[in-house]
Amino acid sequence: MTEPRLCYVPCPGAAAKTNAPDHTGHRMAYWQWGDPANPHVVVCVHGLTRQGRDFDVLARSLSRFARVICPDVVGRGQSDWLQDPQAYQLPTYAGDMLALLAQVHGEAPISTLDWLGTSMGGLIGMALLGTLGLPLPVPVRRLVLNDIGPTLDVAALQRIGSYLGKTGRFDTLQQAADAMWAISSSFGPHTPAQWLALSQHMVRPLVAGEPALTLHYDPALAAAFGTFTAESAAAGEAALWALYDQITAQTLLLRGAESDLLSAATAQAMTQRGPRARLVEFAGVGHAPTFVADDQVATVVGFLQP
């Protein structure tokens, strides 16, 4: 399969509006690659303002040996937006992923489960793997954390907050791609064609049927993100380390060598405690690797293949 299939899973929690008939919650979209009966499932979850098509290049490689599931976290991509902006939080996302895994497992039983999370997707993974007693179909075998850890640099969070929610108006896809590159150059070197491919799923029509474009996500994401303080950040850090220390899956930690969100010191600490992650750094890349470059894809494929 060279293109994914778009699927949906019903989740609890009211949507601002939904196209799902007879459903009072919200729908989360996800993209499925590979053999839909393959019992080896890899779930790839994107960062804060991204969406599931970020993983197209990687998913094509992984789908040679696994069923690859790439959700659009609620409020992004093809998923519903939430009625309550304050619900754009880790507990909501983790609950949605449990619903997703239950549906995928019900369609074709999972025997091997792996998780890859970029930034926010890694935090969701830590919440699922580090919380005891959650109804996962099977234990996660291998975990890939992409440029994320329990300690997050506050200046980097403020940088992200400075543009979050400003979804803009663009006359062309290229104009949108250029605007996104201005705030995303830390992703590392990309050819113009690679960046345009990553950008094409990042926009939606500003008004249905009209040519003007805007970014795909709910601007209300900024409401929940903007509530963090130094005190809440410290409490969150302690909770995340507690989750990380509970993880037993074999763990690979990827870091952009120039990342401003995941420090070298935090990455080293993650190799010494909890699952004692194996650390791989990519030179010339900040936050966060995009799995377009061959070396990044090969590193993940080598870790997750049977």
Side-chain angles (χ1 to χ4, degrees):
M1 179 188 293
T2 58
E3 291 296 326
R5 180 165 63 94
L6 177 60
C7 309
Y8 293 92
V9 57
C11 302
K17 56 184 176 60
T18 181
N19 295 320
D22 304 320
H23 180 57
T24 56
H26 64 270
R27 293 196 310 170
M28 182 172 68
Y30 62 97
W31 304 90
Q32 182 167 263
W33 297 79
D35 179 359
N38 194 322
H40 182 185
V41 169
V42 179
V43 180
C44 299
V45 186
H46 58 77
L48 181 66
T49 63
R50 306 295 301 185
Q51 39 67 49
R53 298 301 299 269
D54 268 5
F55 298 104
D56 280 10
V57 174
L58 177 62
R60 286 190 182 97
S61 291
L62 293 173
S63 66
R64 296 197 300 265
F65 58 82
R67 181 172 25 148
V68 187
I69 305 294
C70 303
D72 289 344
V73 178
V74 66
R76 290 91 166 166
Q78 302 299 313
S79 293
D80 288 341
W81 294 4
L82 292 176
Q83 188 176 84
D84 177 12
Q86 293 300 326
Y88 288 122
Q89 303 273 6
L90 203 55
T92 300
Y93 304 151
D96 287 2
M97 296 304 161
L98 289 175
L100 168 65
L101 289 170
Q103 177 166 300
V104 170
H105 184 59
E107 291 171 349
I110 302 170
S111 64
T112 302
L113 178 60
D114 297 324
W115 185 282
L116 181 151
T118 292
S119 197
M120 178 190 73
L123 296 180
I124 298 169
M126 288 197 299
L128 289 178
L129 275 67
T131 303
L132 301 180
L134 292 182
L136 296 170
V138 295
V140 173
R141 179 190 67 136
R142 291 183 180 169
L143 170 66
V144 181
L145 296 174
N146 184 26
D147 212 69
I148 193 68
T151 300
L152 307 177
D153 185 275
V154 173
L157 292 174
Q158 291 171 337
R159 172 180 64 80
I160 294 168
S162 70
Y163 63 77
L164 183 63
K166 299 173 182 177
T167 52
R169 180 193 186 281
F170 310 102
D171 294 326
T172 65
L173 174 60
Q174 186 63 61
Q175 188 181 79
D178 292 344
M180 284 184 278
W181 181 248
I183 59 172
S184 305
S185 57
S186 65
F187 285 3
H190 290 72
T191 67
Q194 287 172 334
W195 187 249
L196 196 64
L198 277 173
S199 300
Q200 65 177 323
H201 300 288
M202 290 289 293
V203 295
R204 61 178 177 83
L206 183 62
V207 177
E210 298 292 329
L213 302 171
T214 188
L215 297 186
H216 66 100
Y217 67 85
D218 184 356
L221 294 181
F225 189 86
T227 60
F228 84 91
T229 62
E231 293 76 16
S232 66
E237 178 179 331
L240 287 171
W241 275 115
L243 291 169
Y244 182 78
D245 287 339
Q246 292 279 5
I247 293 171
T248 58
Q250 186 177 346
T251 300
L252 173 65
L253 175 62
L254 305 178
R255 179 175 182 268
E258 299 177 10
S259 175
D260 65 344
L261 187 69
L262 175 64
S263 71
T266 297
Q268 285 298 323
M270 293 170 71
T271 70
Q272 302 299 315
R273 57 188 286 186
R276 297 180 180 270
R278 176 164 69 88
L279 173 62
V280 174
E281 293 187 312
F282 298 113
V285 178
H287 182 76
T290 60
F291 307 116
V292 170
D294 290 344
D295 61 333
Q296 296 175 21
V297 171
T299 297
V300 173
V301 169
F303 180 67
L304 295 182
Q305 65 188 3

